[in-house]
Amino acid sequence: MLFRSIALGETGAKVGIMDADIYGPSQHIMFGIRGQRPMMREQDGKGLIQPIEKFGIKVLSIGSLIDEKQAVIWRGPMVSSAIRQFVSDVEWGDLDYLIIDMPPGTGDIHLTIVQSVPVTGVIVVTTPQLVALADAKKGIAMFGQTQLKVPVIGMVENMSYFTPAELPQNKYYIFGKEGGRKLAEEYEINFLRSEEHTSELQSQFRIRMPS
């Protein structure tokens, strides 16, 4: 998600990321903005949240609005209200792409987003093991329903295999092999890519960060 949004930004596009995983936010960590709080600006008597900008990307996460030690214990209506606020009460500006990071499942968050913003496409992200693929199937089925009918652009498989630094030519399929690719074939959707997991992933993450 991080590198894809940065890659879009490097093409000259104006990009924003909304972290819609209310119960388990992560984008504030991925973007290195832990501890930073969004500013507020008043416009026509209404307070607007200013997304935090990092690497040229506008980022908003519930993780930037609450203490990390605090659990979000909200029922569905409160979660839906927060998602709607992330859409209507945030000064996103003129964006070319708003990327929405959604949690696994088919619940209130997903339905609220589809009802609140014109979603132009969905990328399903999974890992190769059966448990993750089961969630991916439900997501594909949900967005394909007639009342939603959001096109699935394709599928990405994370942690496809592990390559240790001392044996860079080796691939270990810890979570199973090509589960995402096979699922994409089964549902006749595009398989976009496999993402490897290496023991140097964290250092590569730091190195690839734009200055």
Side-chain angles (χ1 to χ4, degrees):
M1 183 73 69
L2 169 64
F3 294 134
R4 294 184 190 101
S5 62
I6 291 174
L8 281 173
E10 288 177 344
T11 68
K14 298 175 183 176
V15 182
I17 283 195
M18 178 202 299
D19 189 349
D21 194 343
I22 299 296
Y23 298 115
S26 61
Q27 292 305 315
H28 65 299
I29 299 172
M30 297 295 292
F31 274 83
I33 55 175
R34 295 173 72 179
Q36 297 185 39
R37 294 285 186 263
M39 303 294 289
M40 296 288 295
R41 187 177 75 84
E42 189 169 316
Q43 179 177 305
D44 300 327
K46 178 181 180 180
L48 294 177
I49 301 172
Q50 308 294 296
I52 298 171
E53 191 161 330
K54 190 72 178 284
F55 312 131
I57 311 297
K58 292 182 178 181
V59 185
L60 184 64
S61 171
I62 194 74
S64 296
L65 299 172
I66 63 170
D67 189 286
E68 285 194 358
K69 296 179 181 179
Q70 178 183 349
V72 178
I73 309 173
W74 292 348
R75 294 186 184 275
M78 288 188 67
V79 173
S80 295
S81 176
I83 293 296
R84 284 191 289 269
Q85 282 187 291
F86 276 17
V87 175
S88 62
D89 296 350
V90 176
E91 193 169 24
W92 289 108
D94 184 18
L95 296 178
D96 297 304
Y97 299 96
L98 177 60
I99 301 172
I100 304 175
D101 181 22
M102 290 189 282
T106 56
D108 292 314
I109 291 174
H110 309 75
L111 293 174
T112 302
I113 286 172
V114 172
Q115 293 165 358
S116 302
V117 296
V119 181
T120 55
V122 172
I123 295 176
V124 178
V125 181
T126 186
T127 51
Q129 67 264 50
L130 292 176
V131 173
L133 294 171
D135 280 341
K137 287 180 181 180
K138 291 180 176 64
I140 295 169
M142 179 186 70
F143 289 112
Q145 289 185 8
T146 304
Q147 62 267 38
L148 300 182
K149 209 59 183 176
V150 177
V152 177
I153 298 169
M155 177 172 290
V156 172
E157 185 184 82
N158 274 345
M159 296 192 291
S160 298
Y161 54 86
F162 172 71
T163 299
E166 64 274 12
L167 296 169
Q169 73 281 4
N170 288 19
K171 296 180 180 180
Y172 298 96
Y173 297 91
I174 299 172
F175 302 113
K177 188 174 182 179
E178 296 187 340
R181 183 183 295 276
K182 292 172 183 175
L183 185 62
E185 292 173 355
E186 178 184 345
Y187 281 84
E188 298 182 341
I189 60 178
N190 294 323
F191 184 75
L192 301 178
R193 63 177 296 155
S194 298
E195 300 279 3
E196 68 175 317
H197 181 75
T198 72
S199 57
E200 296 181 339
L201 184 62
Q202 187 61 37
S203 61
Q204 289 175 5
F205 178 82
R206 290 193 296 267
I207 292 169
R208 291 174 63 186
M209 285 293 188
S211 56

